[in-house]
């Protein structure tokens, strides 16, 4: 049942992004930023944590989950370290995901030969 919930929630988030791409003049980059900011705002309101508890990876893997993770890291760091946590919390919370993205990006660049679309 956990897989079904993750699939449905993650699929709905992706479908909403696709609808925004198809039906608006927003660029994909702006939609990505919108998703990260939405994750931060929903996390600040306490709504996103409920979604994470319900859907697990279906809520934490999309970009809204990245925004939620950044905000959660900052909040925890501020509670532990005070004012300086504002500057360090996001880095600590997102370090694993950013590191994985860099490593897998480098591996993909080494293993595959890029080609022009033409």
């Amino acid at each position: 049942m956990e897989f079904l919930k993750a699939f449905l929630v993650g699929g709905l988030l992706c479908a909403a992004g696709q609808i925004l791409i198809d039906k608006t003049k927003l660029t994909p980059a702006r939609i990505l930023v919108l998703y990260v900011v939405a994750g931060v705002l929903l996390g600040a309101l306490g709504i996103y944590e409920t979604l994470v508890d319900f859907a697990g990876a279906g809520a934490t893997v999309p970009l809204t989950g990245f925004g939620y993770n950044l905000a959660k890291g900052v909040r925890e760091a501020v509670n532990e370290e005070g004012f300086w946590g504002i500057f360090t919390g996001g880095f600590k919370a997102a370090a694993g995901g950013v590191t994985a993205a860099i490593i897998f990006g480098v591996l993909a660049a080494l293993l595959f030969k890029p080609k022009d679309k033409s």
Side-chain angles (χ1 to χ4, degrees):
M1 193 61 163
E2 291 179 39
F3 293 124
L4 179 62
K5 289 191 261 185
F7 176 77
L8 291 175
V9 171
L12 286 173
L13 288 169
C14 293
Q18 188 64 49
I19 290 168
L20 287 172
I21 289 172
D22 292 344
K23 301 293 181 184
T24 68
K25 293 187 186 236
L26 291 172
T27 63
R30 289 184 181 187
I31 294 169
L32 296 176
V33 170
L34 177 72
Y35 267 44
V36 173
V37 172
V40 170
L41 292 176
L42 291 173
L45 296 173
I47 297 169
Y48 208 79
E49 184 139 1
T50 305
L51 190 61
V52 169
D53 291 340
F54 174 76
T60 58
V61 171
L63 280 175
T64 49
F66 181 71
Y68 163 74
N69 191 32
L70 285 175
K72 182 179 173 186
V74 169
R75 187 172 47 247
E76 290 173 357
V78 166
N79 289 337
E80 292 174 9
E81 303 169 22
F83 177 75
W84 292 111
I86 295 170
F87 304 107
T88 62
F91 290 117
K92 289 179 183 176
V98 171
T99 302
I102 291 170
I103 289 171
F104 290 124
V106 169
L107 287 175
L110 293 173
L111 295 174
F112 301 102
K113 183 178 177 186
K115 298 177 185 171
D116 290 333
K117 289 185 176 183
S118 56

